[in-house]
Amino acid sequence: MAKQKNGRRDVYFISGGISKFAKARPDVTFQPMVKEAYDYALKDIGLDNRQAREVFDGSVASYFSDHFQRQLMSGIMVQDYLGLCPLPGHRVEAGGATGGVCFQEAYKNIASGVMDTCVAYGFETMSHVNTWKGNEFIALASDVSFDYPVGGFYSGYYAMMVVRHMQEFGTTVEQLARVSVKNHINAFHNKYAQKRRKLTIADVRNSDMVAWPLTLLDICVMSDGAAACVLASEEGVERIRKATGKSPKLVKVTGVGRGTDAMRMADRPHADVILLPHEKKSDYKGLKYPGVHSFRAGRTASKLAYEHAGINNPIKDIDFVELHDAYTSSEIQTYEDMGLCKYGEGGAFVESGAPFMPNINYGLGKLPRQGEIPVNPSGGLIACGHPVGATGLMQAVFALWQLQGSIKKHLGDNTIQVKDAKRGAIHSHAGTGTYVTVSILEKN
Amino acid sequence: MKQTCLEKKPLTEKIKLAETDDGAILFRVPFPKNLKDLHDMSPIIIKQPYHIDYIHSFGQDSPFFAGLANGKLLGTKCSKCGYTYGTPKGHCMNCGTRCNWIELPLTGRVHTFTVCQFGSEEFLKETPFVLALIEWDKVDTLFLTRLVGVDAANPSLDWVGMKVRAQFKRNAKFKPTDVYFVPEK
Ligand SMILES: [Zn+2]
């Protein structure tokens, strides 16, 4: 039996599926929507539904809000609809990072030896209330004694963070807009994405101001959607092989990390930077960290995942990243947390072209470092949509397809396939940076 | 992006008639002769109102709200390590010790801010409004508040660092908005 360090068993990610993300899915309730993603994942490895119940040891369910549906215990309603009862299962919740945590809980089920096969499924139906009520529900993920009553609005919270980032580091709104241009144009080649648009920096800046300096096109939209992932041990892979007579293309989960920070932004410390292996204390003289400009949880999650996977310099050791770009600003903040560039250099990093796809013309002129480490080749949350409980799993599925080299098979378009991708990182993020997960996936 | 219009204009580039949440009350729907045709039926969508009154206790943070009602802005300070909280914490996040109540200075600086042109449904009618985090020397954490008396139509990074002063509502509502900040003359 293959054992990793800390006595963990090897964990393989073998299949995934996604429902087409949409503003609203009134044609189905959430259970059949998850079944679309689940059935796709089964079909991809040649399993039928009856076999699945015999082959799978259990599940983990991911959804963020009970308010959006006004239905408690939605997880079990999915479990029964998928025909997975009476197998073990539970629901996880970690705000925007619910999907990332779900993926890691499935990983833990396998790594610990509790299960040999595990399905991680997730969903959110955000269309049951109007957008402004939806913003109210999401803002309840801020302290209801001190934060929510002052004017609870997540776009406002992120705007305050980026204002501080601009003040501290000189980041510009045009640099933010570049993230939006990149992700919308990437999504143009992703049929699962909700918003597939060829935008310019001017389009982003001229769209409605939501919370200064963030415009409508700096911010992800609410969605209805679902995603599912199948994870297995060596024994589990063998079991699936026996049942189907086919060998799935394996991707290995080689690193998992998670971090947290205080719910209230006001409570965040102003202390020293948590350093990654390729950074020095002298890089950050006088910088008060994390303040409200950086995410200590994202840095902690990255550090742990990198240590686990043996990554010393992320920009050299990772081929692509799918990260939680709920806002263009948080994509820039996350470049820094993940060590793709130093703190303060996120704006220059996007301007250099490093996180763009190498083979796409973005209409931004010459980008000197274009394609160095594509970030959000799928289009990210900004363009794909953000059905919270599905989001982290959606990122995992896109990363799986990248590493399998199967983007064309699944999207019918090869444009966003990262060539020879061997190692990818997925990053899932909650609240104003309260829970963050980073997982490292590698081609086997 | 389809939006439902409440009291705010729709977020869209297109000219459209405002959509509202009210609709017709439906008592009967057409039904096909052949049950196979039911797979093609349009979804039935109904409105389900959901109103709740919560009994929310501020618990250990209650003195903060009593302070606002009496024109005092209270924070807390760790009795052991001295860490000082601009938004009260009952116990120190640093060392776990119980904190004591302290009075914060009524003048501070804008650490960061935003102008909300849109917002959650509850606050939509108040837009545009300015949110700000306030900082003080020798206070380790910040305080979230509304900033008033600035030109919301012309926000600028220069507002960061602005000296501001706390003002209190005369009729306390026992909410954190019983205090707000204005530019210090
Ligand atoms: Zn202390």
Side-chain angles (χ1 to χ4, degrees):
Chain A
M1 189 184 294
K3 289 236 179 195
Q4 289 186 7
K5 68 169 184 179
N6 310 328
R8 295 179 195 180
R9 299 198 300 168
D10 282 347
V11 179
Y12 298 96
F13 179 14
I14 61 173
S15 179
I18 307 170
S19 74
K20 159 85 179 158
F21 289 1
K23 174 76 185 161
R25 283 291 306 272
D27 59 315
V28 284
T29 58
F30 56 93
Q31 306 97 309
M33 192 171 72
V34 179
K35 188 166 164 57
E36 290 171 17
Y38 173 74
D39 283 354
Y40 191 96
L42 294 192
K43 198 174 162 217
D44 198 38
I45 44 173
L47 268 183
D48 69 37
N49 275 268
R50 287 290 288 277
Q51 283 175 315
R53 191 168 44 208
E54 283 154 26
V55 164
F56 292 154
D57 288 334
S59 69
V60 186
S62 160
Y63 58 100
F64 149 68
S65 173
D66 297 305
H67 290 64
F68 271 103
Q69 300 188 103
R70 211 193 65 166
Q71 170 70 64
L72 299 186
M73 296 189 73
S74 304
I76 196 59
M77 296 170 75
V78 175
Q79 182 87 346
D80 78 42
Y81 201 84
L82 297 182
L84 289 172
C85 293
L87 297 179
H90 73 288
R91 174 246 184 132
V92 296
E93 188 281 312
T98 302
V101 166
C102 179
F103 184 83
Q104 293 190 346
E105 290 307 297
Y107 164 89
K108 280 154 75 172
N109 277 338
I110 308 290
S112 64
V114 169
M115 293 183 190
D116 282 310
T117 50
C118 184
V119 191
Y121 56 76
F123 63 93
E124 210 75 46
T125 48
M126 307 177 81
S127 63
H128 296 195
V129 296
N130 72 61
T131 295
W132 307 118
K133 183 57 86 180
N135 272 300
E136 200 176 295
F137 285 172
I138 291 168
L140 289 172
S142 62
D143 188 325
V144 297
S145 290
F146 288 95
D147 290 345
Y148 175 81
V150 182
F153 186 36
Y154 255 80
S155 297
Y157 301 159
Y158 274 81
M160 284 193 282
M161 287 191 264
V162 74
V163 164
R164 193 65 206 179
H165 200 277
M166 290 161 75
Q167 166 73 19
E168 199 79 49
F169 304 123
T171 312
T172 67
V173 292
E174 287 75 21
Q175 290 169 336
L176 303 183
R178 279 170 183 260
V179 174
S180 181
V181 169
K182 168 175 75 68
N183 293 355
H184 280 98
I185 292 180
N186 286 350
F188 197 78
H189 305 281
N190 178 0
K191 67 176 184 182
Y192 285 98
Q194 190 172 330
K195 287 169 72 203
R196 305 166 68 191
R197 296 175 61 184
K198 295 200 167 170
L199 296 177
T200 64
I201 290 175
D203 291 333
V204 179
R205 289 317 300 165
N206 292 334
S207 69
D208 283 323
M209 187 58 73
V210 175
W212 190 84
L214 298 174
T215 73
L216 185 57
L217 292 174
D218 283 308
I219 304 172
C220 69
V221 290
M222 293 188 205
S223 301
D224 286 359
C229 299
V230 179
L231 279 72
S233 65
E234 262 182 34
E235 289 81 351
V237 171
E238 194 47 42
R239 196 193 293 167
I240 289 168
R241 214 176 261 148
K242 273 199 187 124
T244 62
K246 288 179 192 158
S247 297
K249 259 192 184 174
L250 302 182
V251 162
K252 199 166 169 179
V253 185
T254 57
V256 291
R258 215 183 274 184
T260 58
D261 212 336
M263 175 67 131
R264 298 192 303 229
M265 281 198 294
D267 290 345
R268 308 275 166 88
H270 300 261
D272 293 332
V273 177
I274 300 166
L275 299 174
L276 290 176
H278 67 292
E279 294 177 328
K280 304 184 292 294
K281 203 169 178 189
S282 58
D283 293 341
Y284 299 120
K285 263 189 168 163
L287 179 63
K288 291 178 179 171
Y289 180 87
V292 298
H293 50 72
S294 298
F295 300 117
R296 182 169 58 151
R299 176 47 70 101
T300 303
S302 305
K303 190 171 191 292
L304 291 171
Y306 294 165
E307 276 169 10
H308 184 189
I311 291 170
N312 291 312
N313 188 349
I315 187 142
K316 289 210 178 81
D317 300 343
I318 297 172
D319 299 317
F320 70 92
V321 180
E322 287 285 343
L323 65 77
H324 192 98
D325 57 326
Y327 299 87
T328 52
S329 50
S330 58
E331 175 160 328
I332 286 180
Q333 291 166 292
T334 299
Y335 297 151
E336 301 172 356
D337 298 324
M338 293 186 78
L340 307 184
C341 60
K342 297 229 162 70
Y343 278 113
E345 295 175 354
F349 184 73
V350 72
E351 208 164 85
S352 78
F356 288 69
M357 286 295 293
N359 54 323
I360 295 177
N361 180 359
Y362 293 90
L364 295 170
K366 188 167 159 45
L367 301 168
R369 290 173 62 190
Q370 183 167 355
E372 211 168 287
I373 180 164
V375 175
N376 288 325
S378 68
L381 283 57
I382 282 188
C384 290
H386 183 18
V388 185
T391 302
L393 296 172
M394 162 199 80
Q395 296 171 310
V397 175
F398 285 133
L400 171 74
W401 293 344
Q402 288 287 4
L403 293 163
Q404 287 181 331
S406 62
I407 287 287
K408 179 152 194 200
K409 173 182 165 192
H410 296 290
L411 305 186
D413 182 334
N414 209 35
T415 312
I416 57 167
Q417 174 71 55
V418 177
K419 299 278 175 295
D420 304 321
K422 290 188 180 62
R423 192 192 249 159
I426 52 176
H427 162 278
S428 188
H429 169 118
T432 52
T434 47
Y435 294 110
V436 180
T437 67
V438 172
S439 303
I440 307 297
L441 308 176
E442 290 181 39
K443 193 173 170 174
N444 201 44
Chain B
M1 183 176 170
K2 204 183 102 210
Q3 297 286 351
T4 309
C5 180
L6 297 163
E7 308 187 19
K8 197 71 185 156
K9 74 180 169 84
L11 265 180
T12 171
E13 295 90 22
K14 288 186 199 135
I15 295 167
K16 277 202 270 184
L17 203 61
E19 301 275 351
T20 59
D21 268 349
D22 52 342
I25 297 171
L26 185 67
F27 290 104
R28 298 188 64 81
V29 292
F31 201 78
K33 283 208 176 69
N34 190 333
L35 294 188
K36 278 187 195 139
D37 295 334
L38 283 172
H39 281 303
D40 300 322
M41 195 179 119
S42 296
I44 294 172
I45 301 168
I46 62 167
K47 185 171 177 171
Q48 291 186 319
Y50 187 41
H51 304 288
I52 329 143
D53 286 321
Y54 281 97
I55 311 301
H56 180 73
S57 170
F58 289 122
Q60 75 289 344
D61 297 326
S62 299
F64 171 80
F65 296 90
L68 297 187
N70 290 282
K72 290 184 196 310
L73 184 61
L74 300 183
T76 59
K77 184 170 183 169
C78 177
S79 56
K80 193 171 179 187
C81 76
Y83 204 83
T84 307
Y85 294 89
T87 308
K89 275 271 176 198
H91 287 83
C92 180
M93 292 164 80
N94 248 355
C95 73
T97 311
R98 187 156 185 194
C99 295
N100 294 324
W101 289 98
I102 55 163
E103 262 189 69
L104 292 168
L106 295 183
T107 56
R109 288 181 308 271
V110 172
H111 182 75
T112 188
F113 73 94
T114 183
V115 182
C116 293
Q117 297 291 348
F118 290 90
S120 301
E121 189 171 302
E122 184 177 343
F123 308 107
L124 208 52
K125 59 186 179 298
E126 298 166 26
T127 58
F129 57 84
V130 181
L131 295 178
L133 284 163
I134 305 302
E135 62 178 27
W136 294 271
D137 291 334
K138 295 182 189 148
V139 176
D140 294 292
T141 70
L142 310 171
F143 180 71
L144 177 67
T145 192
R146 291 273 185 109
L147 178 62
V148 300
V150 290
D151 180 7
N154 290 297
S156 151
L157 271 188
D158 297 341
W159 293 6
V160 174
M162 183 196 298
K163 278 187 105 177
V164 288
R165 171 173 288 278
Q167 281 187 187
F168 299 88
K169 282 189 183 150
R170 203 156 36 87
N171 297 317
K173 295 182 175 7
F174 299 93
K175 286 188 169 185
T177 41
D178 285 350
V179 65
Y180 53 95
F181 282 73
V182 299
E184 169 82 322
K185 292 269 168 3

